[in-house]
Amino acid sequence: MQRSIVKLLATALAILVAAAAPSALAQGLTTSALSGFVNNKQGQPVAGATVTITHEDSGTQSVTTTRANGQYNMSGLRIGGPYTVNATAAGFQEASHSSVYLELGQTGTENFSLSSDVLQLEVFSVTADRDTTFGSGKMGTGS
């Protein structure tokens, strides 16, 4: 009779430990994450933009690129901060956000709107003089 009670208690204890294991593992979370979107001034996504996340105190950098919809995600970042987040893309001016702080187990959000790097020039004309020193008739050893 006592052996069956001991076996029953041991089984109950094993079930309790197995049920508590996933929550015990979740206590090991020590990082944060950052995500957001990179768009142009018209609100269209910028695919392939480079997002650099720099922890200012340590100088540690994490780099990612945006997907086709302009979204980026970076996990495994140190909690706290401050961070500086830069977004760059070909044909656009760099955008930067500073003093970004991240919380434990949370995903921060930083969105960017990039300005075009293209300059609109006024109408201009190009003039030149032709140099006749070299030409199709002045070739070979006899010239």
Side-chain angles (χ1 to χ4, degrees), residues 62-131:
S62 300
V63 180
T64 188
T65 56
T66 58
R67 297 192 264 303
N69 65 351
Q71 184 179 26
Y72 71 92
N73 294 325
M74 179 60 69
S75 60
L77 299 172
R78 294 179 184 198
I79 58 170
Y83 283 94
T84 299
V85 186
N86 295 324
T88 58
F92 293 94
Q93 295 177 357
E94 180 177 354
S96 181
H97 296 175
S98 58
S99 299
V100 175
Y101 289 86
L102 302 174
E103 295 182 30
L104 176 65
Q106 301 294 315
T107 300
T109 303
E110 290 295 321
N111 297 318
F112 293 91
S113 180
L114 300 182
S115 298
S116 177
D117 205 15
V118 177
L119 297 175
Q120 184 69 29
L121 298 176
E122 298 295 321
V123 175
F124 64 95
S125 62
V126 176
T127 58
D129 293 327
R130 184 172 179 198
D131 186 4

Side-chain angles (χ1 to χ4, degrees), residues 24-85:
L25 292 175
Q27 299 301 319
L29 183 64
T30 60
T31 61
S32 58
L34 187 66
S35 68
F37 289 90
V38 178
N39 296 317
N40 62 19
K41 289 292 184 183
Q42 292 75 32
Q44 298 168 330
V46 178
T50 301
V51 178
T52 305
I53 304 163
T54 306
H55 186 257
E56 293 176 15
D57 292 342
S58 67
T60 304
Q61 288 189 336
S62 300
V63 180
T64 188
T65 56
T66 58
R67 297 192 264 303
N69 65 351
Q71 184 179 26
Y72 71 92
N73 294 325
M74 179 60 69
S75 60
L77 299 172
R78 294 179 184 198
I79 58 170
Y83 283 94
T84 299
V85 186

